Amino acid sequence: MSSLREIAIFFETEHPLNQEGLQELFAAFSVKKYQKGSIILHENTLEHQLRFLNHGNVREYYATEQKETNINFYIKPQFITDLLAFNNDSHTRKFQECLTEVELLVIDKTTFRSHLEKYTCGKEFVKATFQKLFRHKELLEYNRITKTPEDLYKELLIYKPNWLQKIPQYHIASYLNITPETLSRIRKRIS
């Protein structure tokens, strides 16, 4: 149960009323470990598994031949699957890379979907998760279009200080869509 501790806490805090069938669901997860630098999600692949980050840090990004642009970081226990690709049986456009050693809990899509059919808590979980995902995506798009990199950095100081402590600064710069040198100047002005 020790490897399932974080996912149990996640459901207790994020979805406390949806406890029906959780032990059966937890039993269907398997543990996978990855080394720093491992790519756990490749662009243009189908999402066949639901992945829960148990331990470690993961960056999510888009890549072209010219550059990589970070779009999210996962540093606390949570689901890290590209849920849109997972739910729509479509190819993902994202990459995910381990920034540290990572431990994931994974469940096959078919097994997960059978749990959704069996328990109402699964359907409520998916609905709530998608609502949260869309709110986050909308806010991210709005912020990136309307705010300066300095304003975005100030928001990270308030809302994501753990990113600034655990994620290398050049990855933070990519997330802000600026150079590491520009980030350094912003940090000096703010401090």
Side-chain angles (χ1 to χ4, degrees), residues 22-133:
L22 285 180
Q23 293 307 315
E24 185 180 335
L25 177 65
F26 294 163
F29 280 88
S30 61
V31 177
K32 286 195 172 183
K33 296 186 179 195
Y34 295 89
Q35 297 297 314
K36 179 180 178 179
S38 298
I39 303 295
I40 55 177
L41 179 63
H42 291 270
E43 143 184 86
N44 218 14
T45 58
L46 292 171
E47 282 278 32
H48 293 292
Q49 297 176 324
L50 187 64
R51 294 182 309 282
F52 183 87
L53 177 64
N54 222 17
H55 301 289
N57 301 337
V58 173
R59 79 176 177 118
E60 187 170 73
Y61 62 98
Y62 295 121
T64 65
E65 287 185 22
Q66 292 78 30
K67 72 175 190 172
E68 296 176 356
T69 303
N70 293 315
I71 55 172
N72 206 351
F73 300 102
Y74 302 100
I75 61 174
K76 65 179 185 175
Q78 62 187 297
F79 285 96
I80 65 169
T81 300
D82 179 346
L83 291 175
L84 293 175
F86 181 84
N87 192 53
N88 296 328
D89 296 317
S90 61
H91 290 85
T92 184
R93 296 179 183 165
K94 303 173 182 179
F95 288 88
Q96 289 178 343
E97 177 188 18
C98 301
L99 296 177
T100 62
E101 288 187 2
V102 167
E103 180 181 278
L104 299 178
L105 298 177
V106 297
I107 185 172
D108 179 73
K109 184 188 292 192
T110 306
T111 305
F112 178 71
R113 285 184 171 166
S114 72
H115 277 77
L116 290 184
E117 293 303 316
K118 190 172 182 180
Y119 297 105
T120 57
C121 68
K123 292 174 188 157
E124 291 172 22
F125 162 72
V126 169
K127 181 179 176 184
T129 301
F130 270 95
Q131 288 173 348
K132 190 175 182 180
L133 175 71

